[in-house]
């Protein structure tokens, strides 16, 4: 990798071992920008979720939020693929279930989250879960709207302004 590559290049174009990354051949510039914007929204959201995880007293709660952050980041940066024939399923979608941070869990005490943070986490999870199906409709229009929703959720949750 050369020194001019960005973090998003790693995410968008195969930064994982033995992974060529999603195939974005045939996309126009607007569509490529929308996918890059989604990856950026995923990184921003995951960073904020990890700050929530860091302040948890119980290890189980920290790990739960870390898994949530990883799922958001992976879906928005790696799971928006053109050849998907249906909605996201499986383990990644399970990790976005708001029950993980809203219900009392037997193995850990309640999470240290403010109501606005819970609402923001739920909104980020819902937007993230819907993002992979955006490519089946109008990627260049709908995906940026989803990214805007993630950024609005971050603002509601009290995430620091990442543009500063």
């Amino acid at each position: 990798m050369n020194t001019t590559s960005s973090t998003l290049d790693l995410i968008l174009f195969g930064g994982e071992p033995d992974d060529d990354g999603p195939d974005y051949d045939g996309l126009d510039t607007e569509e490529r920008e929308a996918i890059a914007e989604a990856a950026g929204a995923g990184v921003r959201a995951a960073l904020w979720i990890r700050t929530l995880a860091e302040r948890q007293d119980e290890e189980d709660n920290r790990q739960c939020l870390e898994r949530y952050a990883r799922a958001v980041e992976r879906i928005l940066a790696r799971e928006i693929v053109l050849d998907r024939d249906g909605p996201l399923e499986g383990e990644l979608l399970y990790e976005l279930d708001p029950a993980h941070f809203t219900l009392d869990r037997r193995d850990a005490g309640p999470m240290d989250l403010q109501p606005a943070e819970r609402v923001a986490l739920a909104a980020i999870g819902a937007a993230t879960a819907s993002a992979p199906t955006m490519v089946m409709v109008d990627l260049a229009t709908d995906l940026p709207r989803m990214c805007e929703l993630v950024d609005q959720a971050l603002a509601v949750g009290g995430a620091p302004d990442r543009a500063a």
Side-chain angles (χ1 to χ4, degrees):
M1 181 174 84
N2 67 40
T3 56
T4 60
S5 295
S6 73
T7 303
L8 289 181
D9 288 338
L10 288 174
I11 293 168
L12 290 174
F13 302 109
E16 297 178 2
D18 300 325
D19 183 3
D20 293 334
D23 181 11
Y24 296 132
D25 292 341
L27 291 182
D28 63 31
T29 301
E30 219 173 34
E31 292 169 328
R32 286 179 182 276
E33 288 173 357
I35 288 173
E37 186 177 347
V43 169
R44 287 189 302 279
L47 286 171
W48 175 69
I49 295 166
R50 286 183 177 109
T51 66
L52 300 178
E54 289 170 3
R55 78 166 194 237
Q56 302 304 310
D57 291 333
E58 297 197 30
E59 181 64 23
D60 286 342
N61 290 342
R62 281 192 297 275
Q63 289 177 1
C64 180
L65 286 171
E66 177 57 37
R67 286 190 305 273
Y68 197 83
R70 280 195 312 267
V72 167
E73 190 170 31
R74 170 143 179 114
I75 291 166
L76 293 179
R78 308 279 307 142
E79 298 297 328
I80 300 174
V81 296
L82 302 178
D83 59 356
R84 182 177 303 283
D85 58 0
L88 189 65
E89 296 178 359
E91 185 70 25
L92 284 173
L93 192 56
Y94 170 77
E95 291 300 339
L96 295 179
D97 188 336
H100 294 301
F101 56 83
T102 57
L103 302 177
D104 286 338
R105 300 166 352 132
R106 276 188 248 158
D107 56 344
M111 286 196 185
D112 177 15
L113 295 171
Q114 298 300 312
E117 293 167 338
R118 289 179 194 275
V119 168
L121 285 168
I124 289 167
T128 298
S130 70
T133 59
M134 299 289 176
V135 298
M136 294 187 285
V137 186
D138 182 2
L139 170 69
T141 302
D142 295 335
L143 201 52
R145 289 180 182 157
M146 183 279 313
C147 294
E148 184 178 334
L149 178 60
V150 169
D151 286 334
Q152 290 168 346
L154 289 169
V156 166
D161 184 7
R162 303 273 178 219

